[in-house]
């Protein structure tokens, strides 16, 4: 993909549970956020630089980036000419279903390595992505399952039984619950700290250590997750903005594009899921 920035986000009937993005970015910057799904990115040209799990990563042409659900990250161009890539966002259920067939052990699969270079796996994923782009449901569904099976066998692991939970800190756990409950009318950091019997700065530090995001960024991530579900259900963007706590549609659009890569209207045009899918 050459020329100016462009992005297409879509869903394929052959890949229920997998969102797809094909984009070229130069000046666009993804603000720190997290996804409910995995994010599997194949860089076609240029370099993407992103922060993830406390480190900076550079993904060049031919690379495979694997990000786990609910893990905070950002993203921007790592070279002046930007980067182009294809991204698959498979749901936890989609990945877990394949993992049950090809992996041993229990627990949701995770990817310990962030950026790798393995051409056979990259080509399998790219072929599945391209088949979905061309509307070939049989090929895309077949290739995707083959590709994710290979990806899981080579790059994934089961989380260790002793892995620490992000909800281990009871104050952070309760603070997260409050933000979920008060999406439209969130408390101040002082009120949030009082509600969980903590000092504001201590809560901010503990919250970021547990989630990778400070409370206000975590709240915006929750809002965008909720906005995506409403847009998928066909709710007009202007109504979505109010329903998730943004002041207006322009406010929603700014945050949405910084996290998803496309505006809300373009995301909604990609198609809708039936409830529960």
């Amino acid at each position: 993909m050459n020329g100016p920035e462009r992005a297409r986000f879509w869903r394929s009937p052959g890949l229920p549970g997998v969102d797809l993005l094909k984009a070229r970015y130069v000046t666009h910057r993804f603000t720190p956020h997290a996804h409910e799904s995995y994010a599997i990115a194949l860089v076609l040209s240029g370099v993407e630089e992103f922060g993830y799990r406390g480190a900076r990563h550079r993904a060049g042409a031919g690379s495979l980036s694997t990000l786990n659900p609910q893990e905070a990250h950002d993203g921007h161009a790592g070279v002046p000419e930007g980067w182009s890539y294809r991204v698959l966002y498979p749901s936890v259920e989609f990945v877990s279903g394949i993992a049950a067939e090809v992996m041993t052990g229990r627990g949701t699969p995770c990817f310990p390595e962030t950026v790798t270079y393995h051409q056979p796996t990259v080509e399998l994923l790219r072929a599945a992505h391209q088949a979905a782009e061309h509307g070939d449901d049989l090929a895309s569904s077949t290739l995707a399952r083959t590709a994710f099976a290979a990806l899981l066998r080579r790059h994934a692991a089961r989380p260790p039984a002793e892995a620490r939970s992000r909800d281990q800190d009871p104050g952070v756990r309760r603070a997260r619950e409050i933000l979920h409950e008060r999406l439209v009318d969130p408390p101040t950091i002082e009120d949030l700290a009082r509600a969980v019997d903590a000092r504001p700065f201590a809560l901010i530090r503990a919250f970021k250590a547990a989630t990778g995001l400070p409370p206000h960024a975590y709240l915006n991530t929750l809002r965008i997750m909720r906005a995506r579900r409403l847009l998928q259900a066909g709710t007009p963007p202007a109504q979505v903005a109010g329903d998730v706590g943004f002041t207006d549609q322009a406010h929603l659009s700014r945050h949405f594009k910084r996290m998803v890569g496309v505006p809300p209207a373009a995301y909604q045009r990609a198609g809708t899921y039936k409830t529960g899918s």
Side-chain angles (χ1 to χ4, degrees):
M1 298 174 66
N2 297 315
E5 293 193 332
R6 64 190 72 178
R8 180 193 173 199
F9 196 105
W10 77 98
R11 305 176 194 98
S12 168
L15 294 177
V18 182
D19 289 350
L20 302 158
L21 173 68
K22 180 183 179 182
R24 178 178 186 271
Y25 297 119
V26 179
T27 61
H28 180 73
R29 301 181 71 92
F30 287 95
T31 192
H33 65 287
H35 300 288
E36 293 178 292
S37 64
Y38 295 86
I40 313 297
L42 318 170
V43 175
L44 308 177
S45 65
V47 177
E48 181 190 14
E49 183 174 320
F50 60 96
Y52 179 69
R53 290 185 167 182
R56 302 302 301 179
H57 302 272
R58 289 174 63 84
S63 67
L64 171 67
S65 299
T66 48
L67 279 63
N68 296 307
Q70 305 293 349
E71 293 277 2
H73 58 281
D74 57 19
H76 58 84
V79 290
E81 59 269 28
W83 83 102
S84 63
Y85 66 169
R86 291 176 180 266
V87 190
L88 302 96
Y89 299 96
S91 67
V92 173
E93 293 76 16
F94 181 90
V95 173
S96 296
I98 297 175
E101 299 182 48
V102 302
M103 295 179 66
T104 59
R106 296 182 178 182
T108 303
C110 65
F111 293 99
E113 294 181 282
T114 304
V115 178
T116 58
Y117 290 82
H118 184 248
Q119 187 175 358
T121 306
V122 169
E123 288 304 317
L124 278 171
L125 289 164
R126 183 171 180 170
H129 200 287
Q130 289 175 324
E133 181 182 17
H134 297 149
D136 190 335
D137 294 344
L138 178 59
S140 64
S141 59
T142 303
L143 289 167
R145 287 192 171 275
T146 303
F148 276 104
L151 179 70
L152 288 165
R153 289 191 184 104
R154 182 174 180 85
H155 299 283
R158 297 288 190 179
E162 67 273 14
R164 293 171 60 87
S165 167
R166 67 172 64 246
D167 289 330
Q168 188 170 17
D169 185 315
V172 172
R173 181 171 63 248
R174 179 55 188 147
R176 293 176 67 211
E177 291 172 351
I178 291 170
L179 294 179
H180 279 265
E181 295 163 359
R182 297 186 58 181
L183 201 64
V184 176
D185 179 31
T188 65
I189 189 60
E190 290 80 12
D191 289 340
L192 186 62
R194 278 194 292 270
V196 302
D197 194 26
R199 293 182 179 275
F201 284 117
L203 176 61
I204 292 170
R205 288 194 299 269
F207 199 101
K208 189 170 183 180
T211 69
L213 298 168
H216 71 281
Y218 182 84
L219 175 69
N220 283 331
T221 291
L222 290 180
R223 286 172 166 172
I224 296 304
M225 288 179 179
R226 175 61 177 159
R228 292 176 70 158
R229 291 192 288 272
L230 291 172
L231 290 166
Q232 289 170 7
T235 308
Q239 180 179 335
V240 171
D243 287 349
V244 302
F246 289 115
T247 54
D248 53 29
Q249 188 173 341
H251 191 199
L252 165 67
S253 294
R254 285 195 301 273
H255 284 282
F256 198 95
K257 188 173 182 181
R258 289 171 185 167
M259 295 187 193
V260 182
V262 297
Y267 179 84
Q268 190 169 59
R269 286 195 298 271
T272 58
Y273 288 126
K274 294 179 181 179
T275 301
S277 64

